Amino acid sequence: MSAAHAVVDLDVTGDTISRHLYGHFAEHLGRCIYGGFWVGEDSDIPNVRGIRSDVVDALRALRVPNLRWPGGCFADEYHWRDGVGPRAERPTMVNTHWGDVVEDNAFGTHEFMDLCEMLGADAYVNGNVGSGTVQEMSEWVEYLTRSGDSPMARLRRANGRDEPWQVAFWGLGNEAWGCGGHMTPDYYTSLARRYATFCRDHDGNRLTRIAAGAADADLRWTHALMASAVSSNTPDPQASPYQAISFHYYTHSGTGIQRESATEFDAEQYYRTLAHAAGVERVISAHEAVMDAYDPERRIGLVCDEWGTWWRVEPGTNPGFLFQQNTVRDALVAGLHFDAFHRHAGRLRMANIAQTLNVLQAMILTDDEGGLVLTPTYHVYEMNVGHHDAASAPSHVVRSPAATVGDEELPLLSLSASTRGATALLSLTHSGIEGPLPVTVDLRGRRAVVARARVLTGPDAQAHNTPEAPDAVAPAPLDAEVGADGVLRLTLPAHAFATVELTLE
Ligand code: AHR
């Protein structure tokens, strides 16, 4: 295979790559919360106050910056008061979106905030616009964040929590165009303004309110939300009704979500999937262009609070639980997304993969017997931790072999880079399945030596981890060196994700 060549400008300090681009999402869906994070205090599986300890330990290595909860579609039928107070007295409800199962509300506000504290993650609470009232949302914010003597602060104290929590992010409903209420952009925009108005900043807490926006590149939502945000915008973004707008982008191989197997796919499906994943950059650019027209100073943030692969559920599992395996292909999907996210860090402030455990493109798969498997996607998150809050460094693929996918060309090399003081981190994704790819990267502006290089791959793109073979896909050392000419040289195996940590002189 012909070689690929790229350049990285190590002496140019680009936009900061917010750690929140590595955010997570935990919905009351399938076995993400129940049987995932939450096993209950009486479980034989080691737990702290009902939250599974090995899951928390594994996630700590990812430095989870924020966790979105309780949905997704579930958020718009969730009523928070059902999930506080003595567990035995909490009412039940039907989770109509996901499996039509009865939800007993054992995991509620206190349990979620406890989980965030264990993870060291900021809370991203998604409020209910679809079927909840303004008062209900307003009181939830008060319950969570207000100190002193107020009705909701008193209720929180009666439920065992004296001090308020800090809540960083607040979602104003979810997918208003669909499961969140089948609204029009204009109707939802008015509602978002109204709900946001009553989500107050109590005491020292400062909410970033996130309006629910488009699916993919449906720019009608971005236009409506931006026109409205700017009409009341001032130099203080906190004075705008919402401080960010979101979109969702799911990856599949072109025939629609939930149609194809996570583990059994041919070369054509593989390349279509990666081309679709790379397409997230066009979607981000499209939203950015609209936002730039209304808000050139970038006061309003763009958030991709659901992304990832969506495959057919594993055989024998509940179709409403969205449990899927996770292969090398999924890891490369993640690598391509992060490269795009890094390049757009000036406007894109947060992203949340769907979802953390046992649902869609998960980090971790668990079973009810105490088994736990780290997925290839988990390893991409871990290998990219060095990008959190680092300065993006301009990087360009100058030359790369490409795969033809329909009428598009998918370059087989993707890369992005960041610097932090005397260190730099390069991430490289090789999408080719035919063989190894020799790569040279011209490191411009600063002298560098390789501190550590690692690669993530498997015998084929279908490789994945199971309880029997938990390390079938795991990071391994990679040979890489910087020559006297300042050129980094390495060879990427087929279907591989790699990181190179550099020490800068
Ligand atoms: O992540 C699963 C679901 O996908 C979410 O609940 C919803 O927002 C989206 O359609």
Side-chain angles (χ1 to χ4, degrees):
M1 180 173 294
S2 60
H5 181 64
V7 294
V8 174
D9 291 312
L10 292 172
D11 58 343
V12 178
T13 303
D15 292 311
T16 299
I17 296 170
S18 171
R19 65 186 182 283
H20 292 295
L21 295 178
Y22 287 82
H24 282 265
F25 174 30
E27 181 166 14
H28 288 233
L29 192 180
R31 295 176 47 260
C32 185
I33 298 292
Y34 301 110
F37 281 113
W38 180 256
V39 290
E41 287 159 338
D42 300 331
S43 172
D44 292 335
I45 298 174
N47 68 84
V48 175
R49 294 183 292 281
I51 295 169
R52 198 170 151 162
S53 301
D54 55 357
V55 164
V56 170
D57 288 346
L59 288 174
R60 279 206 187 112
L62 306 189
R63 300 198 207 145
V64 173
N66 71 77
L67 184 61
R68 178 175 183 245
W69 172 86
C73 295
F74 181 76
D76 280 305
E77 65 178 1
Y78 181 65
H79 300 283
W80 69 272
R81 285 209 191 212
D82 295 349
V84 298
R87 255 182 233 119
E89 294 168 23
R90 295 183 191 175
T92 60
M93 64 174 283
V94 178
N95 187 336
T96 62
H97 288 291
W98 305 120
D100 215 31
V101 292
V102 173
E103 156 77 51
D104 69 2
N105 280 304
F107 189 92
T109 298
H110 290 245
E111 291 78 11
F112 171 66
M113 296 307 295
D114 198 14
L115 171 61
C116 287
E117 286 180 349
M118 287 182 197
L119 293 173
D122 284 343
Y124 175 5
V125 177
N126 208 121
N128 178 347
V129 169
S131 70
T133 64
V134 175
Q135 180 179 1
E136 180 182 358
M137 192 183 290
S138 170
E139 288 180 344
W140 200 6
V141 176
E142 180 188 328
Y143 185 92
L144 279 156
T145 61
R146 191 171 175 92
S147 63
D149 185 31
S150 84
M152 290 301 114
R154 277 200 296 278
L155 180 60
R156 184 189 66 237
R157 273 189 214 106
N159 289 332
R161 170 81 186 197
D162 192 21
E163 290 302 312
W165 292 279
Q166 292 289 305
V167 176
F169 303 105
W170 195 270
L172 302 163
N174 172 71
E175 295 192 352
W177 42 265
C179 66
H182 292 103
M183 304 177 202
T184 63
D186 286 342
Y187 179 70
Y188 170 75
T189 297
S190 298
L191 279 189
R193 293 175 66 94
R194 179 163 162 245
Y195 277 73
T197 303
F198 297 94
C199 295
R200 309 284 188 197
D201 285 338
H202 295 285
D203 303 323
N205 194 69
R206 288 287 169 273
L207 290 175
T208 295
R209 299 166 193 79
I210 301 168
D216 302 335
D218 185 348
L219 300 179
R220 294 172 306 153
W221 290 79
T222 317
H223 277 291
L225 287 164
M226 287 306 295
S228 180
V230 167
S231 72
S232 53
N233 210 351
T234 75
D236 173 11
Q238 215 61 22
S240 166
Y242 35 83
Q243 289 70 49
I245 65 174
S246 76
F247 73 100
H248 292 173
Y249 186 81
Y250 282 101
T251 293
H252 47 82
S253 61
T255 55
I257 57 174
Q258 234 178 340
R259 295 265 168 78
E260 294 182 2
S261 162
T263 54
E264 290 169 21
F265 49 86
D266 59 23
E268 197 206 331
Q269 290 167 312
Y270 168 86
Y271 280 122
R272 275 199 276 117
T273 302
L274 295 190
H276 195 219
V280 73
E281 185 148 17
R282 281 194 299 272
V283 173
I284 296 169
S285 298
H287 290 298
E288 250 176 9
V290 173
M291 295 177 81
D292 286 352
Y294 289 97
D295 171 33
E297 284 159 358
R298 296 180 174 172
R299 292 196 290 252
I300 303 293
L302 180 63
V303 166
C304 178
D305 54 11
E306 288 186 28
W307 69 271
T309 54
W310 195 318
W311 306 123
R312 200 161 65 213
V313 300
E314 288 302 302
T317 64
N318 186 330
F321 281 12
L322 309 188
F323 178 78
Q324 66 188 38
Q325 249 297 355
N326 191 298
T327 67
V328 166
R329 176 176 64 165
D330 295 84
L332 305 189
V333 165
L336 294 175
H337 274 75
F338 287 130
D339 287 345
F341 292 171
H342 297 166
R343 281 192 281 274
H344 294 267
R347 178 71 80 172
L348 190 72
R349 311 281 162 76
M350 179 154 83
N352 302 71
I353 194 164
Q355 301 190 5
T356 311
L357 302 185
N358 297 330
V359 169
L360 299 177
Q361 190 175 347
M363 308 300 107
I364 297 176
L365 307 178
T366 65
D367 63 39
D368 295 339
E369 283 69 54
L372 176 149
V373 168
L374 305 179
T375 67
T377 301
Y378 172 96
H379 293 302
V380 173
Y381 271 75
E382 187 277 319
M383 292 165 76
N384 264 5
V385 155
H387 290 302
H388 293 202
D389 292 332
S392 64
S395 46
H396 305 279
V397 174
V398 178
R399 192 172 60 245
S400 169
T404 304
V405 184
D407 51 10
E408 277 181 49
E409 294 284 289
L410 172 72
L412 296 185
L413 177 68
S414 170
L415 98 162
S416 61
S418 68
T419 59
R420 187 198 313 271
T423 62
L425 178 63
L426 269 59
S427 297
L428 303 100
T429 299
H430 173 212
S431 299
I433 46 177
E434 282 76 28
L437 177 67
V439 177
T440 50
V441 184
D442 199 354
L443 300 174
R444 300 198 295 212
R446 288 177 82 175
R447 286 282 311 152
V449 290
V450 173
R452 179 166 72 150
R454 292 190 290 165
V455 65
L456 182 77
T457 187
D460 49 41
Q462 291 79 2
H464 54 277
N465 295 332
T466 61
E468 297 71 38
D471 295 320
V473 184
L478 175 71
D479 286 335
E481 63 176 9
V482 182
D485 53 0
V487 175
L488 170 70
R489 291 180 176 82
L490 49 86
T491 297
L492 295 171
H495 42 76
F497 173 77
T499 50
V500 181
E501 297 164 32
L502 299 170
T503 304
L504 306 179
E505 290 169 2

